[in-house]
Amino acid sequence: MARQQPVTRQHPTALQHPVVGDRSEPRGRTDRTGRAAGRVRGFNSTSTAEKVVRYLLLLLVLLLTVGPFLWELSTSLKAPTEDIFTRTPSFLPRKPTLGNYAEAVRAVPVWTYAANSLVVAAITVGGNVVGATLAGFALARLRFGGARLILGIFLATLVLPGEVTIVSQYVTVRSLGLADTLLGVALPGAIGMLNVLLMRTAFRAVPGEMDDAAIVDGANVWQRLIHIGLPNVRGMLSVIVIFAFIGAWDDFLWPLIVLTDPDKYTLTVGIQYLNGTFSANPRVIAAGTMIAFLPIVVVFAALQRFFFRGVEEGAIKG
Amino acid sequence: MTHRRWYTPWLLIAPALVWLLVFTVWPSINTVILSFTNARPLGGGHFVGLENFDRALSDDQLGDALLNSVIYMLVCLPLLTVLPLLMALLVQKRLPGITFFRTAFYTPVIASAVVVALIWGWVLDERGLVNGLAQRLDVLSQPLPFLTDRWLLLLSAISLTVWKGLGYYMVIYLSALGNVGRELHEAAAVDGAGSVRRFLHVTLPGVRNTMLLVSVLISVSALRVFSELYILSDGTGGPGGRDMSVVMLIQMYSRGFTGHLGYASALSLLLFVITVGPLLLLLRLDRKAV
């Protein structure tokens, strides 16, 4: 059976986040390279001089991209007695202290904010995993009238920047009685259309013969989804989990519009509030910033291998 | 590909379909409806014809916001099209520790725009790192008002957007580079082409389509900017409220006693019109490429 090209390859706007898919076919890159190395001497080997230059450049870019985060971390650990406004700033805190973190927690209910963010992120992740898996599976694996139309509508929504509908989305959430609630913050993003399309792409890459064999054995739709579909799309699911979590945790504009009660703020809105009330002391704001930032780093560091695995294989095509 | 009951697929699609209708399709229609009314956050909502659009035409703040967007786009486009490609070339080669560098370069992307803006707000503070070092090295005699001058604030927000975007586009390029045929590179090397010539004649043509895609994505995200300007200006939009973006105006009019949902919806429609341009261009180019 001729299989269609996965949608995301034909439709680059689907790359709201650069996401990589499950690839059933190997790219054949390593064995070709292996042979080439013998043929063209020096093409794949790197001279010492080139290595030195490359590492120097890598370190320079590292300083520029990670430096500001370290500077903020350092500021957050500096004691109130240490002058942070001097023209000869020291990059390491002289007497590292966690006092600023305690101060931030005293000033605003940081732990409540963190818990709120976690609730929103959990609903978003759960909703996307379930909703996108079910819909993606149906669109990829089941035949039914209207499938193409629905696929087209899902695709068309990707052209629509979220900010365009944010006002009437707020009106909708309010008329559902969810204004100023965490559920109201989480609900609109709980099934992302992009994620449905990504799951569809992943399910399409599962060999059809496995499905056929299962059907012969009398498996129903649900069994095929659980036993054949899911084990083969774990990579894509992890990517969706990562980005649903990061997207929900980092979002600022939407919770800013939905929430009014300071006790219901998510972390991003909360630390911006902290910034408004504590702008005289950069150490405390730095501490609040780090509390919002570090969980994301941990999540990403733990799951990044799923993300970078497919990148090099050229899973995204421009 | 068989299933016994006709409604099984619909059951599976139902949640996504409900979400699509409630949170995307209906709000899209409602945006158009609201833009012809005087709806306010606390009630109201009578038909007022083209009043909101009339108001937009003579809104100086909107004029400023659109000018800011154009500048945003013009500065971001070249920087974010070229720099991430160079970074991708730098991290493409599998040297020891390269995974660490790739992940590290991606960190600004996963950080919230709020976190990034607060960090840079401190770095660019009048008594912050940049001004401190510049004065110490005698580059500046007076601190530069990065966050309180109309144009410097805009420029600071732009550099922040560029800095945060580097890793994102780097990954897209990295993926595209994986598709540039190694055979071509090898053949060119056999023919005696140096690395510069290989870059110009093999790599660049190979990532041309990706560059187009990236530049469209950059244009659209430059038009959608919000958090950077909001945080750096403490929500005020800078001196005289002149450092606003269209999305900041939408946010401003969507809430509070001074809110005006009708006008905010008209601005949303305007935002749609200006962002859909680059996207349609992309679809055209994409069709040609395929």
Side-chain angles (χ1 to χ4, degrees):
Chain A
M1 197 189 100
R3 219 184 275 132
Q4 264 191 327
Q5 283 285 302
V7 177
T8 42
R9 287 205 227 154
Q10 294 171 345
H11 189 89
T13 43
L15 293 168
Q16 296 292 359
H17 39 253
V19 146
V20 294
D22 292 84
R23 307 284 302 193
S24 47
E25 75 265 48
R27 300 294 298 185
R29 169 178 174 147
T30 36
D31 48 274
R32 254 184 275 149
T33 318
R35 260 188 292 124
R39 208 166 58 224
V40 186
R41 207 178 64 82
F43 182 75
N44 278 304
S45 63
T46 316
S47 68
T48 316
E50 191 193 331
K51 264 188 199 156
V52 171
V53 173
R54 275 182 174 268
Y55 275 112
L56 283 177
L57 285 171
L58 284 169
L59 287 174
L60 177 73
V61 180
L62 184 70
L63 183 73
L64 287 174
T65 48
V66 178
F69 292 109
L70 295 178
W71 177 241
E72 188 82 345
L73 179 66
S74 163
T75 304
S76 77
L77 295 172
K78 283 177 180 168
T81 47
E82 185 170 349
D83 185 7
I84 55 169
F85 297 112
T86 154
R87 288 185 189 182
T88 49
S90 92
F91 288 90
L92 289 176
R94 269 188 212 105
K95 274 190 199 149
T97 164
L98 289 175
N100 301 315
Y101 289 81
E103 188 67 37
V105 172
R106 252 199 308 278
V108 290
V110 172
W111 300 124
T112 312
Y113 296 161
N116 292 345
S117 282
L118 209 58
V119 168
V120 172
I123 298 174
T124 310
V125 168
N128 275 294
V129 165
V130 175
T133 300
L134 295 180
F137 179 77
L139 285 171
R141 288 307 212 181
L142 305 177
R143 289 225 182 124
F144 59 102
R148 294 195 67 83
L149 176 72
I150 290 183
L151 192 64
I153 300 174
F154 279 147
L155 264 174
T157 60
L158 297 181
V159 192
L160 194 72
E163 291 85 353
V164 169
T165 52
I166 210 156
V167 175
S168 39
Q169 226 167 45
Y170 172 62
V171 174
T172 304
V173 163
R174 200 182 53 181
S175 58
L176 292 172
L178 295 173
D180 201 19
T181 66
L182 292 176
L183 197 59
V185 177
L187 224 44
I191 302 181
M193 297 310 135
L194 173 62
N195 292 333
V196 172
L197 293 169
L198 289 172
M199 283 314 286
R200 173 182 175 271
T201 306
F203 279 120
R204 282 196 88 87
V206 181
E209 299 80 43
M210 295 174 72
D211 239 6
D212 297 339
I215 293 169
V216 170
D217 291 344
N220 64 26
V221 168
W222 186 248
Q223 287 164 327
R224 276 154 58 200
L225 168 61
I226 299 291
H227 298 293
I228 297 167
L230 276 184
N232 284 295
V233 295
R234 272 182 301 202
M236 182 65 92
L237 262 184
S238 352
V239 169
I240 286 175
V241 168
I242 301 175
F243 282 97
F245 184 89
I246 292 179
W249 186 272
D250 283 353
D251 196 14
F252 177 58
L253 174 58
W254 178 241
L256 187 68
I257 288 182
V258 175
L259 301 173
T260 22
D261 179 359
D263 281 339
K264 291 187 181 134
Y265 282 172
T266 56
L267 253 181
T268 49
V269 183
I271 55 165
Q272 118 80 20
Y273 177 62
L274 175 73
N275 182 43
T277 50
F278 253 84
S279 47
N281 193 347
R283 302 175 190 85
V284 178
I285 295 158
T289 310
M290 279 298 131
I291 295 176
F293 174 57
L294 291 175
I296 280 290
V297 176
V298 172
V299 169
F300 189 69
L303 297 173
Q304 53 89 14
R305 67 203 164 92
F306 293 107
F307 174 65
F308 282 104
R309 184 186 290 158
V311 167
E312 240 191 335
E313 295 172 351
I316 316 167
K317 289 195 179 175
Chain B
M1 301 282 159
T2 56
H3 45 89
R4 266 168 242 140
R5 289 176 298 251
W6 67 270
Y7 54 82
T8 310
W10 293 101
L11 274 182
L12 296 180
I13 290 196
L17 212 53
V18 168
W19 249 255
L20 179 78
L21 293 175
V22 175
F23 294 113
T24 307
V25 175
W26 167 242
S28 305
I29 300 169
N30 203 21
T31 304
V32 179
I33 300 174
L34 283 172
S35 69
F36 293 103
T37 69
N38 62 358
R40 294 187 174 273
L42 308 164
H46 300 288
F47 182 75
V48 292
L50 291 171
E51 199 177 277
N52 292 320
F53 296 95
D54 249 10
R55 177 177 170 183
L57 282 180
S58 55
D59 185 343
D60 287 342
Q61 226 172 3
L62 179 63
D64 278 332
L66 288 172
L67 176 64
N68 293 341
S69 298
V70 172
I71 297 171
Y72 228 99
M73 216 160 91
L74 289 179
V75 182
C76 284
L77 257 178
L79 290 176
L80 278 178
T81 313
V82 176
L83 295 179
L85 175 59
L86 300 178
M87 280 166 68
L89 288 170
L90 189 60
V91 298
Q92 191 195 9
K93 191 155 254 172
R94 285 216 144 272
L95 296 171
I98 205 70
T99 314
F100 163 75
F101 285 105
R102 285 179 184 177
T103 314
F105 295 175
Y106 201 72
T107 320
V109 181
I110 58 159
S112 169
V114 177
V115 166
V116 166
L118 286 174
I119 291 178
W120 279 93
W122 168 226
V123 170
L124 295 173
D125 191 272
E126 211 138 306
R127 295 183 295 172
L129 185 64
V130 170
N131 272 319
L133 287 179
Q135 281 172 281
R136 175 160 168 70
L137 300 171
D138 284 328
V139 183
L140 292 176
S141 52
Q142 289 288 313
L144 277 176
F146 287 111
L147 306 177
T148 45
D149 175 82
R150 175 194 182 339
W151 297 111
L152 278 178
L153 177 60
L154 183 66
L155 215 61
S156 303
I158 292 175
S159 22
L160 209 148
T161 305
V162 169
W163 181 77
K164 187 165 166 33
L166 289 173
Y168 180 81
Y169 299 109
M170 174 192 84
V171 164
I172 296 184
Y173 275 125
L174 193 58
S175 172
L177 287 173
N179 291 324
V180 177
R182 273 192 100 81
E183 297 86 352
L184 276 176
H185 262 295
E186 286 151 15
V190 172
D191 291 346
S195 50
V196 174
R197 285 188 58 195
R198 286 211 308 270
F199 173 74
L200 288 177
H201 296 289
V202 180
T203 309
L204 268 190
V207 296
R208 215 185 112 251
N209 287 334
T210 310
M211 288 182 98
L212 288 175
L213 161 70
V214 163
S215 48
V216 170
L217 292 178
I218 295 164
S219 314
V220 173
S221 60
L223 296 169
R224 294 167 62 186
V225 71
F226 170 75
S227 305
E228 290 93 326
L229 280 169
Y230 186 93
I231 302 278
L232 283 186
S233 70
D234 273 335
T236 62
R242 302 198 69 186
D243 286 299
M244 290 258 186
S245 68
V246 180
V247 179
M248 258 180 99
L249 287 173
I250 293 175
Q251 187 268 339
M252 191 174 91
Y253 285 114
S254 70
R255 287 295 307 273
F257 295 104
T258 53
H260 192 311
L261 297 175
Y263 189 52
S265 301
L267 293 177
S268 305
L269 282 186
L270 177 79
L271 180 70
F272 176 67
V273 171
I274 57 178
T275 47
V276 92
L279 285 170
L280 288 179
L281 186 72
L282 173 71
L283 289 179
R284 256 189 78 108
L285 294 170
D286 191 44
R287 205 156 293 155
K288 263 191 218 154
V290 173

